[in-house]
Amino acid sequence: MTTFTFKRTLRIAWGDCDPAGIVFNPRFFEFFDASTWGLFEAALGVSQHDFAAAYGIVGIALVDARGNFMKPVAFGDTVEIVSRVAEFRRASFDVEHRLINKGDVSVEGRETRVWAVRRADDPDAIATAPIPADVIAKFG
């Protein structure tokens, strides 16, 4: 379990919502994806666009995503998303997200991602690679 957390505030726009004015559930996964990239940019001090040059990776590819929708979030709400890496493994890791609205956790999310590189034998294909120890260390 890591100690580094990333927090961001988001105001819910009409375009995030269904006709009833409640956030359309797939939008939460977009919010979580943006928060994961923000988490890595903040921890590593490298912008998303510079990850390839800094670490020789294609990206941090999403392989699984889950959500627990406990309370509705609506148009005009201002929410806070708190994200952290729950666990690092050899080439994969889990990110946990909590979306807080009016002091309550409304949505919890969890992503599993892999450290993705281009395959040496086929540059059009991707493979996983071990996550560097210095990357893991920056998450505490």
Side-chain angles (χ1 to χ4, degrees):
M1 187 174 297
T2 64
T3 57
F4 186 85
T5 59
F6 174 74
K7 297 178 183 181
R8 72 182 182 113
T9 301
L10 177 70
R11 181 138 173 115
I12 302 301
W14 179 251
D16 297 324
C17 300
D18 63 17
I22 298 191
V23 174
F24 183 51
N25 286 356
R27 295 287 294 153
F28 290 112
F29 295 104
E30 292 178 40
F31 301 160
F32 295 154
D33 180 68
S35 291
T36 295
W37 284 104
L39 170 69
F40 270 73
E41 287 179 341
L44 302 179
V46 175
S47 77
Q48 180 179 350
H49 295 292
D50 296 329
F51 273 32
Y55 295 102
I57 63 172
V58 174
I60 49 175
L62 180 68
V63 296
D64 187 43
R66 296 177 211 136
N68 183 18
F69 309 99
M70 298 169 286
K71 295 184 178 182
V73 179
F75 171 61
D77 287 345
T78 297
V79 300
E80 180 179 56
I81 302 173
V82 181
S83 305
R84 71 178 184 86
V85 174
E87 180 182 5
F88 279 107
R89 292 176 291 281
R90 185 187 76 77
S92 66
F93 56 94
D94 293 329
V95 181
E96 293 178 342
H97 305 279
R98 288 181 305 129
L99 188 142
I100 301 163
N101 186 22
K102 299 174 186 152
D104 293 323
V105 176
S106 295
V107 181
E108 295 174 326
R110 187 171 184 98
E111 301 173 316
T112 299
R113 291 179 176 259
V114 296
W115 198 255
V117 298
R118 295 217 182 271
R119 281 186 25 196
D121 64 333
D122 182 0
D124 291 331
I126 338 176
T128 62
I131 302 165
D134 65 315
V135 167
I136 295 170
K138 291 185 179 181
F139 286 85

